[in-house]
Amino acid sequence: MKDKLSDFKKIMKFESSKRGDFSNLNYKPTFNASAIFYFVYDDNIDTKISFLNYWKIKNFNKEVSCLFSIRDAFGKNIFRTFIKLKKNTYAFSIKKILKKNLGLAKLEGSVNVELFSTNDLKFIYPAVDAIYETKNGITLIHSNQRILNEIHDKINNLSLNQTQSGFDIYNDNEKHSFIVAINGSMEVKSRNLKILFFNYLGKKFSKSFKFKSIKPYEIIRIDFNKIKKLNSFLKNKKGFCKIDLPTENIFNRVLVGTTTKDNKRLTTTHSYYDCSNIKDFISIKKNDSSEKNCYIPFNIIDNIELDIVIYPIFSKCNLDFDLEMYDTSGKRCIVKSNILRITSKLSNTLTIQVNKYLKNIKNLTQNVYSLTVRSKNGKIPSRITYGFNYRQKSFGSNISDAMLINRGSQSRGNKSKGFYWGPVFNSRKISSIITLSNMNQLLKRNIQKINLKIYNEKDIVIKKNYIIKSPEAKNIHLENLFKNKKIKKSDDVFWFTIESSGPKNLVCKHVHKSVYGHISADHSF
């Protein structure tokens, strides 16, 4: 077993540092942030790149510009533009750009979004989304890969660029999964891409792909329906896999997609690095119902099912999980004790179909729920990632997220006020819901004021104030707000911001419901 990947105290020192703290010699300012995305478009799908100008809105930085570069699947530059950011929101349809400028009817490749500023941006990853729109819905993914800047950037990310995992895969008669990785800025030769598949029983099946050469910025896409024997191995059920990538000079989280045979439904997510061979634990306090050590607070939405998937990719240990509920008065109830029990020998995924345990509960969507972790030896992994999957008539979202861990006074955002943002829609096909879960680690009853704003390119089109207690859940159906403001339905990408008056302990997700029953969702920035 290896030592832990990184020192959490160093991360906390960076996050607590003020932007532009140039006198702090341990703080490294950022003047160039970037994200690179896979794109594909044809008769069934378009890719849009969209972001909120949060540099201006949140950070009061009006000196930000964007270099927007499109490359084909082999890394060749085919389009580039440079803009100074002035509007509130931006959305670029790759299909429209390349049809208009190059007359191309279909293509796949990469889009590199680089942000530059004379002011400190602080975070090297910008908050940008790729939105993949099909005939029956959308799916989206936030910044998952970026080109590494220099040698120190590469050294600092070596531990995060190893085996990638933590997502659902399928290969059956209805749908199949695929992975996409983009190479960095230098050619690599004589490399192998290795995939270790796990079925629902925890059995293994390996596959290796050989590459004589991978060009700079070249796209690697592996479709699982083209891998012999994988269908029978997965036995028409959900599995997962671990991927060792051959790419270099890039942050190696991969894009993972699942698509139907007719390409009308698609879901995407990103990978997470495998920590199962690493000793990375923190000590926790004795079990006490008045304080949470490790937990997932979440909402239930009307007519939408929820699955929570635990992947065996964190430091090996023995843990118990309870499903809890807090009603509108704050009263705690154990819905299911020991709903999951995992051991250090776990090799398959474990899925909780949450709704089946909540059939007779009153005020179902007004209560806040929690999947809470218990540890007999007083230690828990410092990283526990999971899949958070809202779904309706088909496979739905596959959000890659991490459980909240109580690190006491060092917990992220413990003293700061909250600011959250993400994309939303008001089209004939898609309506959006913002879910807020307010549950602090000490379970103190407090009240936060919530200020919601919806932006288009030029204006704030909606302003709405709310009150949320702790613990409490709130689902904000934006379709009703758009209708009340008489905002016409369109294919535009809107962006929301939520500012909270209290400590940064809200969990905020955005959920997008298609009239065809397809659900997309992600956590907010």
Side-chain angles (χ1 to χ4, degrees), residues 295-312:
Y295 61 109
I296 309 169
F298 60 88
N299 300 31
I300 295 297
I301 306 172
D302 281 330
N303 302 314
I304 295 178
E305 302 289 313
L306 173 62
D307 295 339
I308 296 177
V309 186
I310 305 296
Y311 305 100

Side-chain angles (χ1 to χ4, degrees), residues 25 29 37 52 66 97 124 144 147 185 194 197 204 220 300 322 328 330 333 345 433 439 499 524:
L25 301 182
F37 298 92
L52 175 76
C66 174
I97 290 173
I124 204 164
N144 69 302
I147 306 300
S185 54
K194 300 175 182 178
F197 295 96
K204 302 176 184 179
I220 299 173
I300 295 297
D322 295 334
T328 52
C333 169
K345 296 181 180 180
I433 305 159
M439 179 184 291
E499 298 174 71
S524 68

Side-chain angles (χ1 to χ4, degrees), residues 39 70-72 76-80 98 102 104 107:
F39 79 82
I70 302 178
R71 301 182 178 96
D72 66 16
K76 180 184 176 183
N77 273 307
I78 57 175
F79 177 84
R80 186 165 64 188
L98 295 186
L102 300 177
L104 299 173
L107 197 69

Side-chain angles (χ1 to χ4, degrees), residues 49 88 184 188 204 281 307 313 357 367 375 437 495 509 523:
I49 305 298
N88 292 329
V188 294
K204 302 176 184 179
F281 296 95
D307 295 339
I313 63 169
Y357 296 98
N367 305 320
S375 171
S437 305
W495 280 77
K509 291 183 170 67
H523 57 74

Side-chain angles (χ1 to χ4, degrees), residues 30-35 55 113-116 121 123-126 149:
T30 295
F31 301 98
N32 174 18
S34 70
W55 305 278
V113 182
E114 296 180 87
L115 285 307
F116 302 89
L121 298 170
F123 294 101
I124 204 164
Y125 251 127
N149 285 344

Side-chain angles (χ1 to χ4, degrees), residues 66 87 101 155 181 204 320:
C66 174
K87 297 185 293 186
N101 291 278
I155 292 170
K204 302 176 184 179
D320 295 314

